[in-house]
Amino acid sequence: SYDWLALLANLELLVPEGVVLKRLEPADKGAVLKLSASARNLSAVRKFIESLESSSFFSEIFLTEQTFMKEGEQKGLNFSVTCKVTAP
């Protein structure tokens, strides 16, 4: 089980402009956390992954899926990342 308050506080600091978290989902009996999000562009996805990698709170970060989307005039992409939560 996670310390959800600490987890959310850390994520709030790590999510860059242009990225919106949509879903947090524990997986593999809580050993892995799946983050589903959307971003304006690939650069924003890269910044988010680099932020997670620079944090001592997360490890083993992997981009597991990405799909490009267009809604009206807005373009972007949906993506998912899995990671381990390493902090207590």
Side-chain angles (χ1 to χ4, degrees), residues 48-67:
F48 179 55
I49 292 172
E50 288 172 351
S51 292
L52 291 173
E53 290 173 340
S54 70
S55 170
S56 60
F57 208 85
F58 303 98
S59 66
E60 298 183 37
I61 297 111
F62 298 102
L63 178 65
T64 56
E65 63 183 273
Q66 66 181 30
T67 55

Side-chain angles (χ1 to χ4, degrees), residues 4-41:
W4 284 101
L5 290 177
L7 176 80
L8 294 172
N10 273 276
L11 279 174
E12 181 180 17
L13 298 173
L14 297 173
V15 177
E17 185 177 334
V19 173
V20 176
L21 286 180
K22 294 177 158 185
R23 185 174 182 168
L24 306 174
E25 182 178 0
D28 196 19
K29 297 182 181 177
V32 174
L33 184 65
K34 181 178 179 182
L35 307 171
S36 299
S38 61
R40 290 184 194 158
N41 51 45

